[in-house]
Amino acid sequence: METVHSFLKASLEALSNNSNFLAALAIAVLIAQSLSLLTARLRLRSQIPISHKIAVIGFPGAGKTTLITALFELIQRGQHLPPVKLHGYNTIKRVNQYIAKLTSGDNVGPTTEQDTFIYRFSYSKSFFWGATTYDVELADFPGQYTDKIAKEDGNEEAQREHGFELDEALFDREFFSWIASAREYLFVIDLAEIYSNQDVIRRIADTTARMRTSWHVIEDAVSERGVSDPRRRNVHIIFTKLDALLAVPMTQVDFSKLCTTDYGEDTEEFKKIENAKIAIGTVGHCGVDVWKLPFGDLPDLAPLQKENEENFRDLIQFFQTRTKFDGCIYSSVKLRGVDGERMGTSAILSAVLP
Ligand SMILES: Nc1nc2c(ncn2[C@@H]2O[C@H](COP(=O)(O)OP(=O)(O)OP(=O)(O)O)[C@@H](O)[C@H]2O)c(=O)[nH]1
Ligand SMILES: [Mg+2]
């Protein structure tokens, strides 16, 4: 008995003398414990769906509903996401109705207060610890709402001084609660509307002021409801209807001159269209369809985008300082890539989906 005791004592002494060994042992135990805790947490997380809310904000006619429809059209192709499940009869019905309209070239029609709609879908992603499910909500609010929250446009200083005295009763309460809990905000700006204006600079200044006011009101709603810091919300600016900037309006094309030679390819009129690369509508009686030019055939868009972002520098800087600004994306439902994808749609999905 005494020999066993002295053997154990001697062994322990030998081990404790070897402090490196003990330290390594302690670290190994710690790592094993942390790993099992982390795996347990991740497993638990994979069992609870993660909620992800995306708010689409913009003035009436900016192209919000059309854009959302184009996003669903891409989602349903299943190239960019694992299989997606649409939730609720209304989401399924609306998505399919609107996609049919978009495909046939019909307008989806303005969204009214009664139409305020939250699309719901979910999908799962596999990780080494299991699958995580995301419950996504995408809200299409009527442009009239944005108009109302930005009604103090051009008078931001006074508004900041006097606080926000917006009549919340004007709004559906659900709107503010939902907006305050969103994770991603898409501010949609209509390029066609901006650049077709008589006074472009004034229009940009006005849009900037109204968008800023909208964000101030959202910030206010967020802090009032005590949910996390508005500076941690992701904001994206989406410039829609890019095609309108590349277009030669049909009224400017003289069809009689277009067709003077074989398909008129050498005429000045044809060059006008060729240079613009796209025209609104089909050049009917020549049978030349300039609608579906793939992205690769478009003129270099970088200078145009640079100039536009220079024009919107104030708004971009405002979002950069007050939010987690994620940049600008250009979209057009009329311009398609060779695989049929509408311009901007996959960039938007990658930017806003987890
Ligand atoms: N040329 C062109 N027109 C577009 C594009 N996207 C939308 N439009 C047109 O713009 C108009 C308004 O589109 P909507 O999607 O209804 O706009 P909205 O922002 O939902 O409008 P509200 O619901 O009133 O707030 C429709 O006539 C669309 O066909 C685009 O990329 N290019
Ligand atoms: Mg709409």
Side-chain angles (χ1 to χ4, degrees), residues 113-188:
E113 285 187 39
Q114 295 77 41
D115 281 336
T116 304
F117 194 71
I118 298 174
Y119 297 84
R120 294 192 163 87
F121 64 94
S122 65
Y123 61 95
S124 297
K125 268 184 171 176
S126 296
F127 298 96
F128 75 90
W129 62 82
T132 296
T133 302
Y134 297 98
D135 255 342
V136 184
E137 290 187 354
L138 203 157
D140 180 16
F141 294 113
Q144 291 161 338
Y145 274 180
T146 315
D147 245 0
K148 278 184 197 168
I149 55 178
K151 69 177 178 180
E152 299 291 325
D153 64 292
N155 195 15
E156 283 191 288
E157 288 311 316
Q159 207 176 3
R160 224 170 287 146
E161 250 175 51
H162 301 112
F164 293 100
E165 288 174 14
L166 277 168
D167 181 4
E168 270 205 41
L170 271 175
F171 297 95
D172 186 342
R173 287 196 170 274
E174 213 187 314
F175 173 71
F176 268 123
S177 302
W178 200 97
I179 281 277
S181 62
R183 204 180 278 244
E184 311 275 343
Y185 297 84
L186 300 183
F187 279 86
V188 175

Side-chain angles (χ1 to χ4, degrees), residues 26 30 48 54 97 109 121 128 148 169 244 252 260 283 285 292:
L30 262 178
I48 306 168
I54 307 163
Q97 263 177 3
F121 64 94
F128 75 90
K148 278 184 197 168
Q252 284 175 24
T260 48
V283 187
H285 55 284
K292 292 171 196 146

Side-chain angles (χ1 to χ4, degrees), residues 61-74 77 98-99 101-108 188-192 238-246 278-280 290-295 298 329-337 339-346 348:
K64 301 178 293 297
T65 309
T66 309
L67 181 67
I68 291 172
T69 307
L71 295 179
F72 273 105
E73 184 191 51
L74 189 63
R77 283 187 184 188
Y98 284 176
I99 290 181
K101 282 190 178 180
L102 188 66
T103 316
S104 61
D106 290 345
N107 289 341
V108 291
V188 175
I189 299 179
D190 179 347
L191 287 171
I238 312 294
F239 289 108
T240 53
K241 309 186 193 175
L242 181 71
D243 56 286
L245 295 198
L246 306 173
I278 185 164
I280 297 279
V290 281
W291 264 125
K292 292 171 196 146
L293 281 172
F295 301 163
L298 294 175
I329 301 178
Y330 292 79
S331 76
S332 165
V333 296
K334 309 279 189 195
L335 299 174
R336 287 166 174 267
D339 54 357
E341 186 182 309
R342 297 181 202 263
M343 178 176 249
T345 46
S346 66
I348 296 172

